[in-house]
Amino acid sequence: MAGFDKRVSSYEEAMEGIEDGMTVIAGGFGLCGIPENLIAEIKRRGTKDLTVYSNNCGVDGFGLGILLEDRQISTIYASYVGENALFERQMLNEEITVVLTPQGTLAEKMRAGGAGIPAFYTATGYGTPVGDGKEVREFNGRPHILEESVVGDFAIVKGWKADRYGNVIYRDTAQNFNPMAATAGRITVVEVEEIVEPGELKPDQIHTPGIYVDRIIQGSFEKRIERRMVREG
Amino acid sequence: MALTREQMAQRVARELEDGFYVNLGIGIPTLVANYVPDDIDVMLQSENGLLGMGRYPTEAELDADMINAGKETVTARTGAAIFSSAESFAMIRGGHVDLTVLGAFEVDQQGNIASWMIPGKLIKGMGGAMDLVAGADNIICTMTHASKHGESKLLEKCELPLTGAACIRRVLTDLAYLEIENGAFVLKERAPGVSVEEIVEKTAGKLIVPDHVPEMIFD
């Protein structure tokens, strides 16, 4: 009865089927809650010409930043990309296409994509460069722009705990874009810190129901901190 | 004297009300959290998915899974909630946040704001700023009144690419507090010791000066 058993035993198996030119949706905010081992597996495979949807693009040497080293990303949709010298160089040399996307619009593109809604109107970005060339329609006396949603060939997600059914919970602000990304992949791969026994996760506490999830793998994580702030205690 | 960054934060903090949910941007807006009056309670929203942002953690509390929208490690206060980015922007875009405070490069008399992009310079992105200005009714924009070279940042029409159109109604600069009404800036308060003449001189957009413009008072 492997029907609902989503577990895979290796990262190679977890990313099986990823090909050049595919679209990948990634969870994470900054370096928080990023699927760091799945990214490393894409790096290992050398898959090229990827279109990536992610709020940020990692830092030099970590997170999605490592996919820049061998120029594996050709286009990225992100809201903020400024923490990465290699990224800046590739952007200035036009080696990577950057589609800066408002953070809420990016989240909604994933959410709507996963929910089967092909496009949505939003006031965000109207009258700005983001709205250039997009359809405008007035609702309640206010102009809105039409934004298209996204479905990825792969979604790569970092959870905290999952069961073999693919039910996932996230921890603290490592949740961020992960639940939306999880809904928006044709193949959704979730790596977690711990795979627990079925029944251990309370059904009403599940953030991502297993129906969205194709593959689950347990990994170990560096969890690098981008801006370490502490107070005297 | 022009206001210091701390005085600007102090002035903005007077607009906080008990029970407000507030989103504070990077820079001067962040400092507003230091001046919340003791007798009121506000809840800070961080757009990466935290409502009820607390203090920085102690060494013992430090946790890579707990960060704010500036990617700094933080804690959650009592009464906090944590959720996804979609939920976070539902709050923002749905108009549920009571007050948003953010910085800007330029604001114009129509309430347009430019805060994210200077052509020719490295563009890092708008983050959540476009969602915040489009979603909020109550926004205070904090900025210096003029550039270092004396060029006004309160314009007839923004020159830089916009963050949002016709969405700003209140501006606090280092020289003045102004409101935008019917296509003009209205001078409401001035920084201590700053003359109306200086503000007039440094405001390029249409400026309405009432008969009496009170000075801000600081402790």
Side-chain angles (χ1 to χ4, degrees):
Chain A
M1 267 220 329
F4 290 110
D5 192 347
K6 313 282 176 79
R7 292 172 298 177
V8 295
S9 52
S10 70
Y11 276 94
E12 194 174 352
E13 198 183 334
M15 292 308 295
E16 196 178 291
I18 189 162
E19 290 170 15
D20 292 355
M22 281 188 164
T23 295
V24 176
I25 300 181
F29 184 98
L31 300 181
C32 183
I34 58 171
E36 51 184 86
N37 301 299
L38 295 171
I39 294 167
E41 171 61 18
I42 296 173
K43 160 98 174 160
R44 193 194 65 77
R45 286 170 173 262
T47 317
K48 300 259 192 214
D49 195 24
L50 295 170
T51 295
V52 173
Y53 285 73
S54 169
N55 191 54
N56 315 92
C57 197
V59 296
D60 287 310
F62 194 65
L64 288 171
I66 66 172
L67 300 186
L68 300 170
E69 294 162 2
D70 302 317
R71 293 219 228 139
Q72 291 175 263
I73 302 175
S74 57
T75 304
I76 184 160
Y77 289 75
S79 86
Y80 194 84
V81 290
E83 325 286 359
N84 193 324
L86 182 56
F87 188 95
E88 290 175 11
R89 203 158 63 238
Q90 292 188 4
M91 187 160 76
L92 291 170
N93 294 340
E94 296 179 359
E95 294 165 354
I96 186 167
T97 303
V98 184
V99 186
L100 290 170
T101 305
Q103 200 173 130
T105 295
L106 185 63
E108 189 63 15
K109 276 173 180 280
M110 296 181 194
R111 196 202 67 80
I117 296 167
F120 54 92
Y121 285 101
T122 178
T124 298
Y126 171 76
T128 80
V130 167
D132 285 350
K134 288 177 184 160
E135 183 187 322
V136 176
R137 191 166 156 187
E138 215 165 274
F139 296 94
N140 304 320
R142 196 170 174 206
H144 292 68
I145 58 173
L146 186 66
E147 291 277 8
E148 289 184 22
S149 68
V150 61
V151 174
D153 296 299
F154 271 79
I156 54 174
V157 171
K158 158 69 174 53
W160 180 31
K161 295 179 180 180
D163 59 26
R164 73 175 68 136
Y165 294 90
N167 296 308
V168 182
I169 61 171
Y170 305 94
R171 184 170 174 276
D172 289 339
T173 62
Q175 179 171 167
N176 56 61
F177 281 84
N178 281 296
M180 282 76 64
T183 66
R186 290 191 187 91
I187 297 175
T188 291
V189 189
V190 183
E191 60 170 333
V192 295
E193 294 172 41
E194 190 184 355
I195 296 179
V196 301
E197 286 303 311
E200 230 175 272
L201 303 177
K202 259 189 104 213
D204 64 358
Q205 303 287 308
I206 304 290
H207 292 121
T208 293
I211 191 169
Y212 296 112
V213 177
D214 298 285
R215 302 172 190 170
I216 283 277
I217 187 164
Q218 181 173 310
S220 56
F221 298 84
E222 177 184 334
K223 291 203 200 178
R224 198 179 289 186
I225 291 175
E226 203 163 339
R227 300 221 171 102
R228 190 178 189 279
M229 302 295 284
V230 289
R231 69 182 151 87
E232 297 297 313
Chain B
M1 280 283 287
L3 300 183
T4 63
R5 288 161 58 86
E6 284 72 22
Q7 284 175 319
M8 289 176 72
Q10 237 175 310
R11 175 62 190 84
V12 171
R14 289 177 195 160
E15 304 299 318
L16 299 172
E17 290 179 27
D18 199 19
F20 259 20
Y21 296 100
V22 181
N23 184 292
L24 301 176
I26 310 278
I28 291 164
T30 306
L31 299 176
V32 174
N34 299 334
Y35 296 101
V36 179
D38 289 336
D39 58 341
I40 71 166
D41 195 10
V42 301
M43 201 66 96
L44 299 179
Q45 204 258 14
S46 188
E47 62 264 25
N48 58 316
L50 169 61
L51 185 62
M53 180 165 56
R55 299 187 292 174
Y56 290 133
T58 62
E59 199 75 42
E61 290 168 338
L62 195 70
D63 185 340
D65 289 340
M66 273 303 293
I67 65 166
N68 63 20
K71 294 161 193 153
E72 299 171 332
T73 47
V74 285
T75 58
R77 53 160 280 179
T78 304
I82 293 172
F83 35 81
S84 73
S85 300
E87 185 80 53
S88 180
F89 282 92
M91 288 169 200
I92 290 167
R93 295 155 81 126
H96 302 278
V97 175
D98 296 301
L99 176 66
T100 292
V101 186
L102 81 174
F105 302 142
E106 295 173 350
V107 170
D108 72 26
Q109 64 198 37
Q110 301 300 334
N112 297 319
I113 173 174
S115 68
W116 72 287
M117 174 179 179
I118 298 177
K121 288 200 179 175
L122 185 74
I123 299 151
K124 295 188 168 188
M126 69 293 282
M130 286 191 184
D131 304 283
L132 282 159
V133 297
D137 270 337
N138 191 6
I139 304 170
I140 299 176
C141 200
T142 61
M143 59 200 291
T144 55
H145 208 98
S147 73
K148 282 176 198 148
H149 311 294
E151 289 159 357
S152 180
K153 297 181 180 181
L154 275 57
L155 306 174
E156 190 183 334
K157 194 170 190 306
C158 284
E159 288 160 11
L160 295 169
L162 298 186
T163 308
C167 52
I168 304 297
R169 286 199 283 274
R170 303 203 279 170
V171 182
L172 177 73
T173 73
D174 54 343
L175 303 183
Y177 172 68
L178 311 98
E179 292 182 359
I180 298 171
E181 292 167 19
N182 304 318
F185 295 101
V186 182
L187 181 56
K188 293 288 183 179
E189 296 171 30
R190 57 200 165 92
V194 170
S195 67
V196 168
E197 288 71 28
E198 182 180 352
I199 296 164
V200 169
E201 187 201 331
K202 289 184 174 166
T203 305
K206 187 177 175 191
L207 179 67
I208 294 171
V209 182
D211 291 340
H212 176 63
V213 182
E215 269 188 19
M216 296 174 205
I217 296 164
F218 293 94
D219 306 330

